Amino acid sequence: MIKSPGDLANELHELPPSSAINLKIVSDSYFDAIRGIVDIFANKKNLNVIYITVAIPSHSIIDVLKILEIDLTNIYFVDCVSHIMIGGAKKYKNVLYVESPTMLENIMLKVEYLIRKSEGKNNVIVLDAINALGIHNNMKILSEFLHIFINNLRAKDAYSMVFTMEEFSTDEISNMMKLVCDTTITIGGGGDG
Amino acid sequence: MPSENIIERERCVTGIDGLDNILNGGIPRGNTILFTGSCGTGKTTLSLEFLVHGALADENSLFVSVTESSDKLTTNVIPYDFFEESLIKTGKLAFVDMPVIYERLGLTNVEFSLEDVDTLVRALGNLVDELSVKRLVIDSITSVCYRLKTEEKIREFILKIGKALSNRGCTSLLISEISPSADRYSLYGVEEAIADGIVLMGNYERRGDLLRTLQVVKMRGTTHSRAKYVLDLTPAGVLLVPLLKGGGGI
Ligand SMILES: Nc1ncnc2c1ncn2[C@@H]1O[C@H](COP(=O)(O)OP(=O)(O)OP(=O)(O)O)[C@@H](O)[C@H]1O
Ligand SMILES: [Mg+2]
């Protein structure tokens, strides 16, 4: 079990590209996880970050990153939330929108596009979070998606970072994650992981 | 034995990665493909990209436009990341308006005769020779067929144009417009039987979501996936991923 963003980054640093990581987040460690990956780890490895938001609109995450004084230059978002919210989304540069979190193919397509645009630079793909996708999709299509998606990313030497919110996780989700990810890391919480 | 033939057939690499993967390397060179789908499914966009990649690979590419003016089409290729203006300046990528060809040939009748069909096929063949065209798009063949009216003349036209183009080693996309509810791949049903390949573009509805899809239904001279793919039109070109089945039925 990991406590700080620095420790998380160090742990990730040891993993080879094309790793698929199940990152279990205990609720109060959400910001630590973001800082560890998006800031410390990505900077150390000189990676582009492709951040898929399913639970929280991208503009809220951007606000958080600004408060944490994290440089946004190499961070791109695939936002699956803002389109379904009433009133629509204010459009940001660096944000691509997917109409609905049920359009799993379109999530893959937007990520594919951003990887193409990254021109040689390696990528870390953050999926925030699998539980939120689980609300909108049945388990069959979700595990099919995760398999294809992560295998595609492996083939492109990208790091896949799938967030699981510990409090909201189910046995079904845990089993699926064990199947597709090669490493599980827990951040936060009191006990030992 | 057929497998040997499949390996030997030279490919026209479309340059659209997803499509080349589906086709195990590209369209067998010289094939005449029916590119079919209802309106707004991306037929024109995809065929333009096919030509831009051709021109970039040093293959002269020609777009014969029947319905839209070619000026407008030129502006459609400019947003591509990989587009270079020199392609048009050097003539590697060329546009011709079909109505101009009709006029030059004196094809003024609303309904073409069998002789008119021969005249048109010969003219297109000559054009391909003159410009050394290796990739051709006719958008749309359905609009040409409106002028032919009878099944006999349509059959004659598709057979002859296909032969003329493949003899010249020219790989061609014939764009076909169908209604979303159509139970066949072409308006007259004739075109699909004669073409060497059929690529179907459409919309797929899954619980209220509408996805753009592409499916290779037939392609002579190669093995290929027959699965449905979901596509996105981007400045980096068309991107494709497999349609998720979700373990569900229809
Ligand atoms: N570069 C692009 N990026 C995003 N969307 C695009 C792009 N180019 C075209 N589109 C969208 O794709 C749609 C389909 O385009 P296209 O003209 O290729 O379809 P089509 O099948 O040829 O239609 P038609 O039967 O009307 O000729 C357009 O209506 C447009 O909204
Ligand atoms: Mg069109």
Side-chain angles (χ1 to χ4, degrees), chain A residues 155-173:
Chain A
K156 294 185 167 76
D157 271 347
Y159 291 89
S160 314
M161 213 71 73
V162 184
F163 286 8
T164 312
M165 297 304 168
E166 262 303 78
E167 282 93 319
F168 304 104
S169 197
T170 63
D171 287 349
E172 267 184 321
I173 287 180

Side-chain angles (χ1 to χ4, degrees), chain B residues 56-207:
Chain B
L56 284 168
D58 215 22
E59 294 182 11
N60 289 350
S61 301
L62 177 66
F63 192 101
V64 180
S65 182
V66 187
T67 33
E68 288 180 75
S69 91
S70 48
D71 294 344
K72 217 173 84 205
L73 290 164
T74 321
T75 58
N76 285 354
V77 294
I78 294 170
Y80 283 127
D81 297 339
F82 47 87
F83 176 73
E84 292 167 17
E85 233 164 88
S86 63
L87 299 177
I88 291 180
K89 285 201 186 108
T90 56
K92 286 241 156 294
L93 177 62
F95 294 85
V96 176
D97 288 306
M98 190 68 115
V100 175
I101 297 179
Y102 289 161
E103 202 172 305
R104 226 189 291 150
L105 298 172
L107 300 178
T108 48
N109 292 333
V110 177
E111 183 173 346
F112 293 165
S113 66
L114 273 174
E115 287 92 83
D116 292 342
V117 169
D118 283 336
T119 309
L120 184 58
V121 170
R122 216 176 307 120
L124 288 170
N126 289 341
L127 196 61
V128 167
D129 283 337
E130 264 170 53
L131 304 174
S132 309
V133 175
K134 288 287 166 230
R135 298 190 186 199
L136 179 85
V137 170
I138 301 179
D139 188 2
S140 68
I141 201 74
T142 312
S143 306
V144 179
C145 288
Y146 282 135
R147 305 281 292 261
L148 302 174
K149 300 252 186 332
T150 69
E151 207 177 290
E152 184 202 2
K153 279 186 280 184
I154 291 168
R155 177 179 293 275
E156 191 77 3
F157 174 63
I158 307 269
L159 270 176
K160 284 188 172 163
I161 191 79
K163 194 149 175 275
L165 294 169
S166 85
N167 283 345
R168 291 165 169 85
C170 181
T171 310
S172 314
L173 307 183
L174 310 181
I175 310 292
S176 147
E177 294 156 350
I178 51 171
S179 79
S181 58
D183 57 358
R184 53 187 184 192
Y185 302 116
S186 54
L187 194 56
Y188 299 91
V190 184
E191 306 92 302
E192 63 199 56
I194 301 171
D196 298 311
I198 299 172
V199 177
L200 174 65
M201 311 214 28
N203 294 308
Y204 178 82
E205 192 173 335
R206 184 176 60 209
R207 290 184 297 138

